[in-house]
Amino acid sequence: SLLATVSHELKTPLTSILGYSEMLSEQLVGPLNDEQREYLRTIHDRGMHLLNMITGLLDMSKLELGTLSMKRSNGKPLELAREVATTMLPIAKKRNVTLLFECTEERFETRFDPVRLGQVITNVVENAIKFTPDGGKVLLSDRIVEAYEGDEGDVGFALTAVPKQFYELRVLDNGVGIPEHLRDRIFDAFYQVDSSTTRGHGGTGLGLAIAKRVIEAHGGTIEAKPNEPQGTMFLIRIPANDGARKSIPSVALFSSSLPPEGTDTGDPFP
Ligand code: ADP
């Protein structure tokens, strides 16, 4: 497609711009004063932002064309969620946000692309941390739900359909929240609720647009809901393999790496 070609063509000169700005700031060709270094940092930051947008656009166009290859294999979504939580823990700590991992569906297995689904979960957890102020909480939990598949892959009602099992990952935060009338728009490309604050967060507004396409390519759904009394709850559902509809009793196991003892005040996360 045109978009894919253009994105690809934009990457080459941009990579060169980034490389030269790095060389300059490493003072390989001569000393720089503070002001010059600062200008170079801006060039580099803006360039990286542009690169992220181009990479995102490329992914989106591939997803739309159906040419983004999904490498699905059998795996445990809980393990993936735990890996993401472990990776994000230092970032949460740095922002003084408590990250809690309370997933329990240890035994649930289904087919998914671990790289792509990992990116989606990372994006959602990253957002939860990003949009939660100092002292806030982000919680990951899961459960198995039975739902009906609607026409558009919608989980909802279709009276004649057979209920299907889904793994549901919930990412809850008690941050700034999303106004109700904008709750669907955040899945549009480039949409940011408050671009002035978001710009400071360095996002591209493409993350959730890509996430939605990836999840839908898995036959699942992603949605945002309010978290009472404050914040946002993201629900990511991916279907069980056909024929794997029997309920599996869940075993509660606490991750050894998350969170350290004593960080949870026992205060149940709303
Ligand atoms: P980005 O994070 O790069 O801006 P996304 O597509 O990931 O782009 O998110 C789009 C917008 O949705 C964000 O800019 C933000 O306004 C809103 N958003 C996403 N997650 C949350 C959240 N947990 N709490 C509040 N707002 C959120």
Side-chain angles (χ1 to χ4, degrees):
S1 79
L2 180 65
L3 188 58
T5 314
V6 170
S7 309
H8 189 77
E9 292 300 319
L10 290 173
K11 263 188 163 176
T12 318
L14 183 55
T15 309
S16 165
I17 291 170
L18 286 168
Y20 277 96
S21 77
E22 268 163 34
M23 259 166 34
L24 277 174
S25 58
E26 279 161 21
Q27 315 202 41
L28 295 176
V29 284
L32 297 173
N33 65 35
D34 287 351
E35 206 175 10
Q36 289 166 333
R37 256 206 298 270
E38 171 154 354
Y39 288 2
L40 267 173
R41 195 171 309 129
T42 306
I43 292 172
H44 191 260
D45 286 354
R46 295 280 148 194
M48 282 304 291
H49 189 81
L50 193 53
L51 186 62
N52 288 337
M53 289 207 281
I54 293 170
T55 308
L57 275 176
L58 203 58
D59 278 357
M60 283 235 322
S61 77
K62 284 183 190 159
L63 279 161
E64 273 178 355
L65 290 170
T67 55
L68 189 89
S69 58
M70 293 278 167
K71 295 197 182 68
R72 278 182 233 203
S73 55
N74 223 45
K76 295 180 175 174
L78 177 141
E79 308 246 298
L80 194 60
R82 178 185 280 143
E83 269 172 42
V84 171
T86 309
T87 311
M88 299 304 291
L89 193 59
I91 294 161
K93 278 222 166 99
K94 211 163 120 190
R95 300 188 56 115
N96 195 24
V97 168
T98 307
L99 181 62
L100 298 169
F101 184 81
E102 291 178 3
C103 295
T104 56
E105 298 294 344
E106 291 277 351
R107 296 170 62 182
F108 187 86
E109 276 189 31
T110 190
R111 282 176 72 75
F112 56 87
D113 180 327
V115 175
R116 293 283 161 196
L117 187 60
Q119 282 167 350
V120 170
I121 301 173
T122 303
N123 191 263
V124 170
V125 175
E126 224 167 24
N127 280 345
I129 297 170
K130 211 157 71 169
F131 296 105
T132 300
D134 213 284
K137 267 190 199 173
V138 171
L139 169 74
L140 275 74
S141 69
D142 67 356
R143 57 179 193 157
I144 307 301
V145 294
E146 290 216 338
Y148 295 94
E149 255 179 321
D151 288 344
E152 292 156 29
D154 252 44
V155 180
F157 58 97
L159 293 176
T160 52
V162 183
K164 200 168 163 61
Q165 259 193 6
F166 288 79
Y167 177 83
E168 180 181 277
L169 179 69
R170 301 174 152 220
V171 180
L172 299 99
D173 68 61
N174 59 2
V176 298
I178 303 170
E180 192 188 344
H181 63 289
L182 301 176
R183 222 163 272 143
D184 292 325
R185 297 213 50 197
I186 56 169
F187 296 101
D188 293 348
F190 297 115
Y191 192 78
Q192 301 182 316
V193 171
D194 179 353
S195 52
S196 61
T197 60
T198 315
R199 213 142 280 155
H201 291 298
T204 60
L206 281 175
L208 290 177
I210 294 171
K212 189 164 198 268
R213 285 166 173 81
V214 168
I215 296 300
E216 283 173 359
H218 279 84
T221 58
I222 177 168
E223 52 181 329
K225 291 190 164 173
N227 183 27
E228 299 302 335
Q230 202 203 325
T232 312
M233 165 167 76
F234 275 86
L235 297 180
I236 300 171
R237 287 174 171 176
I238 54 164
N241 295 330
D242 281 335
R245 291 189 177 131
K246 201 163 66 68
S247 276
I248 303 159
S250 60
V251 184
L253 281 180
F254 206 68
S255 157
S256 54
S257 49
L258 270 172
E261 289 279 295
T263 40
D264 189 2
T265 52
D267 164 27
F269 203 79

